[in-house]
Amino acid sequence: MKTNRHGFVLLESLLAIGVLAYFLLAASGLAFIAKVGSGRAHQAELATWTAQEGIDALRSMSFASLANTETGSIAFANNRWALGTSGPQSIGNGITRAIRVMSVNRDASCNVVTSGGTVDPDSRALESTSSWTDAAGRAHSAVIATLRTQWENPQGTCFGPSTPQCDQVIIDFTTSGEWYGGKQLRSVYIINSGTTAVTIDRMALTWTNAQE
């Protein structure tokens, strides 16, 4: 019995081409998915960076220049950042950024509250939002927020030296404090002598060293 060897060779070649085409198609699909995923990750990273840039710019401005705005913008000119009210602004790469500066309300104990209380003249809520739309038409946003205070020159009653929170914080450098080399003061203790928790956001220490 004679067999058609040429027919088998042709069939095997067609099967091999089909299998190869299947794997090439799968590989190209995976490559496309990886490219799309990488693009989304890059877009999200860029948006987060631009949102952080907005917060950093607001931190660099004077407290007096932080006027309340719901949809503001920032601009860099003359080696400084300035706050504008015409937002959101286009950043490029399909990203827009909106800046918000809001008043902060505090209760009688100077705690931040979302309802009630009174407006604290020494606090501003800052928010920077970067938004974009992906290739599938889905909207995304990256939001970074922080609290800004003018504790160095307070105009209200929540950051003065006689506030309850300040009165219960004791800086002890006499128990075991020692000078090293005339320039380093070590073993300084910050003690909370009250019954409520205190968060120290920033502290400035000044002293006169008689040895210098």
Side-chain angles (χ1 to χ4, degrees):
M1 181 178 177
K2 291 182 67 178
T3 59
N4 191 344
R5 181 59 184 170
H6 294 290
F8 280 116
V9 171
L10 179 61
L11 179 60
E12 290 172 354
S13 299
L14 290 175
L15 287 174
I17 292 173
V19 171
L20 179 61
Y22 173 80
F23 281 108
L24 288 176
L25 182 62
S28 63
L30 290 175
F32 176 76
I33 293 173
K35 182 178 180 180
V36 171
S38 177
R40 289 176 180 172
H42 174 71
Q43 194 82 339
E45 182 179 358
L46 184 60
T48 301
W49 183 86
T50 57
Q52 183 62 56
E53 181 188 50
I55 289 294
D56 292 340
L58 292 173
R59 285 173 172 165
S60 71
M61 300 177 194
S62 67
F63 188 87
S65 66
L66 296 176
N68 284 7
T69 177
E70 280 295 318
T71 312
S73 59
I74 55 173
F76 190 77
N78 299 321
N79 296 320
R80 68 177 63 183
W81 287 101
L83 177 63
T85 57
S86 58
Q89 62 187 132
S90 176
I91 305 301
N93 294 296
I95 298 174
T96 60
R97 179 175 58 205
I99 299 295
R100 293 181 69 196
V101 179
M102 299 159 285
S103 297
V104 175
N105 283 26
R106 296 181 185 269
D107 61 18
S109 299
C110 291
N111 297 311
V112 175
V113 293
T114 56
S115 62
T118 57
V119 175
D120 178 16
D122 300 317
S123 300
R124 295 286 188 276
L126 310 179
E127 186 177 286
S128 177
T129 302
S130 293
S131 304
W132 75 99
T133 302
D134 63 21
R138 293 186 292 262
H140 303 270
S141 62
V143 182
I144 299 179
T146 189
L147 182 68
R148 173 83 182 272
T149 62
Q150 60 168 352
W151 59 272
E152 305 98 328
N153 184 29
Q155 304 301 308
T157 59
C158 284
F159 291 96
S162 60
T163 58
Q165 289 87 348
C166 291
D167 286 343
Q168 70 185 46
V169 175
I170 299 173
I171 301 177
D172 178 14
F173 58 88
T174 60
T175 302
S176 57
E178 294 181 86
W179 282 100
Y180 287 83
K183 295 183 180 295
Q184 298 181 25
L185 178 60
R186 300 181 183 179
S187 300
V188 177
Y189 295 92
I190 300 174
I191 304 169
N192 181 0
S193 63
T195 58
T196 59
V198 175
T199 299
I200 300 176
D201 175 69
R202 191 181 302 174
M203 177 181 295
L205 301 178
T206 59
W207 66 88
T208 300
N209 184 3
Q211 299 180 16
E212 293 184 345

